[in-house]
Structures are given as C-alpha cells and as structure tokens.
Amino acid sequence: MKKILVTGGTGYIGSHTVVELINSGYKIVIADNLTNSKIEVLDRIEKITGIKPQFEKLDISDSKATKAFFETNNDIELVIHFAAYKAVGESVQKPLMYYQNNLNSLMNILTEMSRHNIENLIFSSSCTVYGQPDILPVTEQSPIKKADSPYGNTKQVAEEIISDTIFSNKNLKSIALRYFNPIGAHKSALIGELPIGVPNNLIPFVTQTVAGKREQLSVFGNNYNTEDGTAIRDYIHVVDLAQAHLVATERLLDKNNKLDFETFNIGTGRGNSVLEVINTFEEVTGEKINYKIAPRRLGDIEKVWADTTFANKELGWKAKLSLADALLSAWNWEKTQ
Ligand code: UD1
C-alpha cells in the first residue's frame, strides 16, 4: 500500500488526523520541522494506535530539502498539507515570514507532486478566507473578501495557487478544507493543542488560566452586535475535523471521482459566543474561570459560523461531538500538562 504524506503531522490538527488515518489502515510519513510541535507526539500516536509513523524532520519551505525528501520517499500517493504558520497577530508583525513560509512550502509541495506524478492533495484552508461575511451562515459560495491579515491572505492565495496549478496539470486533484475554530483533544488525553508561549487562541488560554498558568482571561470585547455582546465562532472538535480529512482522503482516492478542485466548510454549523464558551466550560468541568472584559482585539471579526450542507451532503461528513465534549476534552488534556 502506498503512503500518505502528512506535513505538519506532529502539530495539533495533524497529529489527530494521523491517528484517524492509522486507525483506518493508512500508512503514514510525517514531515515536520518541529518549530511548533514536539517529537514526543510520535510516541503518543504510537500509544493510541499501536503504530509509530515514519517521521522526517523537514522544512518544506526549503526547496532543495523537499526535493531530496520526495526522491527518497517515492511511494507517496496523497499529500495532506498542514504545515504552516497560523498566528493572525504575528502575521501582521512579520508578513514576509508568513508569505515566505506558507506559500513557498505549498509551491514546493506542488512542484514535487507534479514531478513525481502524485495526484492527490488535501489543503488546510480556513474560514478566515470569508472575512466578516454579509450573510450567515457562510456557504462555500460566499464571496472571498479582502483578507484581514497576511495569514488570511496566505490561505486565499494558496487556494488560488492550487486552482491555477490544477488548471495546468490535469492529473492533479485537490480538496481544500476550510476549518472553522478547532478545539479540544483526543479522548485519551495523549495528544492535544500544545501552544508554545502565551496562547493566542481562546481555549488554550481558558484552560491555562484555570490551571493557574495564566492569571486572568481577557474577553476581547462585549459590545459586538450579538445577543450577549461577545463575538461568535463555530467551534469544532478536533477529532471531528480529523475525520473530515479521512473522508476527503477516501474521496480523492476514489478512482471514479473526477472532480479536480473542491472546497468544503468544516464546522459544526453552530455559532457560540465567548461567554457561552466560558459558561459551558464551567458547567462541564465544575471549574471557575477568572476573566475580565477587555477591549476588542484588533482584526477580530464579529461573528462567523458555517453552513455545512455541502460538506454533509457531498462529502458525507458531519461533526458529531458537542461543544461540551470538546471543552471537557481540552480540560482533560490540560490536566496532563
Ligand atoms: C483565528 C482565525 C482562524 C485561524 C486561527 C488560528 C479568523 C476569523 N479566524 O481564529 O482562521 O485559523 O485564528 O489561530 O481570522 N478571545 C478572547 N480572549 C482570548 C482569546 C480569544 O476573548 O484570550 C476571543 C476572540 O476575540 C474570538 C474568539 O475568542 O472572538 C476566538 O478566538 P481565537 O481562538 O483566537 O480564534 P479566531 O481569532 O476566531
């Protein structure tokens, strides 16, 4: 059986996806430069699945190293490309670092895929491509607005690069999954989100505050045009998200599937405010979160949640786990840290 290359496979979403793929019998090679993940994740994956995936320490934005990697790994059938920088605020401070890393790595992957006749690519895109949508829930047909950050722009441009490359190479097929807000951890609490330094995202900040690693959570803005004034997102359990990659893999490997480039919203279809997240977390864990209301965070949008009809019908995938499940698993993971 041929292999699936998972770039960024020791990262948060990558590691959960590798577990789902191994559990379904796929053979994996992970390529990761470990700038935002730890090598111990491989042992954790082995503990969960009984199989330690092949690992190569590799910076995919390095074209020579990537070329050499594909030459020695000549049995790859499909690539899932997670490896990228993802901090919105940092991308505003260091735009070139984001364009350099996120776009060069994608172009290197596509170059090597064409060179080695690898036909299938799953790409990690984001709901950030929609900006603040005029109509909610947001569908895949909603307009792509000017990106609010260089990070967001890398996702928009990346989708265009894939689409243009497919137009010129009829052998290539791709599915871009537009993730909403992934949260939570595997039920074993052996893998989860491992933010290095101060977390940017809401859930790791919540769990670290409750664990006593952070003094207080700031709720960024309570004067949005929402019921309780705090911003709304579509929080999806990372295991549901990982399973979407499994379904996308099967779809691409299906020889009857002739569709060349598809995009899917991967969310729950529900929106929750920051205060709802806080209340649900307190209810399911019995813990208290020390928080204050703070000014809005620059670049944040007011509300977004997914219309998942297309993913549900066409992909045959649906998020199964609840916000409560996800928050409890995030807390169980934090307690092991
Ligand atoms: C953003 C991007 C998303 C990207 C992700 C990666 C958008 C719309 N979304 O998600 O594409 O993949 O970053 O990091 O650009 N909040 C607080 N206090 C905190 C942290 C967050 O109140 O300490 C609030 C935010 O204001 C927001 C919500 O919690 O309303 C979620 O924030 P976060 O987890 O950072 O994700 P997004 O900004 O939605």
Side-chain angles (χ1 to χ4, degrees), residues 18-163:
V18 167
V19 164
E20 297 304 315
L21 291 168
I22 292 178
N23 282 342
S24 295
Y26 289 101
K27 215 167 140 192
I28 305 297
V29 52
I30 293 175
D32 200 303
N33 64 359
L34 299 174
T35 50
N36 199 22
S37 63
K38 296 208 170 121
I39 191 77
E40 291 78 48
V41 169
L42 295 177
D43 298 326
R44 302 299 185 89
I45 292 173
E46 186 180 11
K47 268 198 184 140
I48 299 171
T49 64
I51 292 172
K52 191 169 184 170
Q54 183 193 338
F55 176 79
E56 304 281 342
K57 187 164 185 289
L58 173 67
D59 179 351
I60 316 269
S61 71
D62 176 339
S63 59
K64 273 195 192 148
T66 304
K67 184 169 189 276
F69 167 84
F70 275 89
E71 270 157 22
T72 44
N73 290 274
N74 50 14
D75 53 351
I76 293 166
E77 189 170 21
L78 180 144
V79 179
I80 308 185
H81 182 44
F82 290 105
Y85 292 148
K86 60 165 187 177
V88 177
E90 184 185 50
S91 79
V92 177
Q93 303 305 321
K94 299 174 182 170
L96 295 179
M97 186 174 111
Y98 271 67
Y99 289 118
Q100 198 276 337
N101 186 60
N102 291 8
L103 297 183
N104 281 342
S105 61
L106 173 66
M107 290 189 287
N108 289 339
I109 289 282
L110 288 167
T111 303
E112 296 309 323
M113 287 179 71
S114 297
R115 209 196 302 271
H116 295 272
N117 299 317
I118 302 168
E119 295 178 358
N120 307 297
L121 173 69
I122 297 176
F123 177 69
S124 300
S125 190
S126 168
C127 70
T128 195
V129 300
Y130 301 117
Q132 174 60 67
D134 297 325
I135 301 168
L136 285 165
V138 68
T139 74
E140 289 81 356
Q141 271 66 53
S142 299
I144 302 296
K145 300 245 183 101
K146 185 177 163 21
D148 285 324
S149 68
Y151 159 76
N153 204 23
T154 67
K155 294 297 176 190
Q156 292 185 354
V157 174
E159 287 193 8
E160 288 177 1
I161 291 174
I162 295 170
S163 159

Side-chain angles (χ1 to χ4, degrees), residues 74-271:
N74 50 14
D75 53 351
I76 293 166
E77 189 170 21
L78 180 144
V79 179
I80 308 185
H81 182 44
F82 290 105
Y85 292 148
K86 60 165 187 177
V88 177
E90 184 185 50
S91 79
V92 177
Q93 303 305 321
K94 299 174 182 170
L96 295 179
M97 186 174 111
Y98 271 67
Y99 289 118
Q100 198 276 337
N101 186 60
N102 291 8
L103 297 183
N104 281 342
S105 61
L106 173 66
M107 290 189 287
N108 289 339
I109 289 282
L110 288 167
T111 303
E112 296 309 323
M113 287 179 71
S114 297
R115 209 196 302 271
H116 295 272
N117 299 317
I118 302 168
E119 295 178 358
N120 307 297
L121 173 69
I122 297 176
F123 177 69
S124 300
S125 190
S126 168
C127 70
T128 195
V129 300
Y130 301 117
Q132 174 60 67
D134 297 325
I135 301 168
L136 285 165
V138 68
T139 74
E140 289 81 356
Q141 271 66 53
S142 299
I144 302 296
K145 300 245 183 101
K146 185 177 163 21
D148 285 324
S149 68
Y151 159 76
N153 204 23
T154 67
K155 294 297 176 190
Q156 292 185 354
V157 174
E159 287 193 8
E160 288 177 1
I161 291 174
I162 295 170
S163 159
D164 291 344
T165 309
I166 286 175
F167 188 76
S168 75
N169 173 358
K170 297 293 178 211
N171 291 326
L172 191 63
K173 286 186 291 178
S174 179
I175 292 179
L177 300 177
R178 292 177 176 161
Y179 311 154
F180 282 68
N181 286 53
I183 61 166
H186 192 263
K187 61 178 188 291
S188 64
L190 287 165
I191 52 171
E193 192 168 5
L194 250 187
I196 294 175
V198 182
N200 290 302
N201 295 112
L202 177 62
I203 306 308
F205 208 104
V206 164
T207 59
Q208 290 196 6
T209 304
V210 177
K213 294 180 188 161
R214 310 277 155 212
E215 210 177 304
Q216 193 174 42
L217 168 74
S218 293
V219 172
F220 297 138
N222 69 344
N223 55 358
Y224 284 109
N225 183 23
T226 62
E227 216 158 283
D228 63 26
T230 63
I232 294 178
R233 298 287 184 275
D234 184 334
Y235 295 95
I236 172 166
H237 197 302
V238 68
V239 172
D240 276 329
L241 178 56
Q243 283 168 2
H245 294 79
L246 182 63
V247 177
T249 295
E250 283 157 4
R251 186 174 176 87
L252 283 175
L253 294 181
D254 176 358
K255 295 285 172 235
N256 299 319
N257 173 20
K258 302 280 178 245
L259 291 161
D260 53 5
F261 186 39
E262 297 178 290
T263 51
F264 292 101
N265 281 347
I266 303 297
T268 65
R270 288 185 309 269

Side-chain angles (χ1 to χ4, degrees), residues 283-320:
E283 266 167 40
V284 293
T285 63
E287 302 285 342
K288 269 261 151 286
I289 303 170
N290 176 20
Y291 73 88
K292 63 165 188 215
I293 303 297
R296 291 181 180 195
R297 182 170 68 177
L298 211 70
D300 266 347
I301 60 158
E302 185 166 85
K303 47 189 164 190
V304 66
W305 64 94
D307 183 325
T308 59
T309 313
F310 188 54
N312 299 159
K313 285 203 175 132
E314 204 45 50
L315 208 52
W317 165 91
K318 200 173 171 47
K320 295 187 196 108

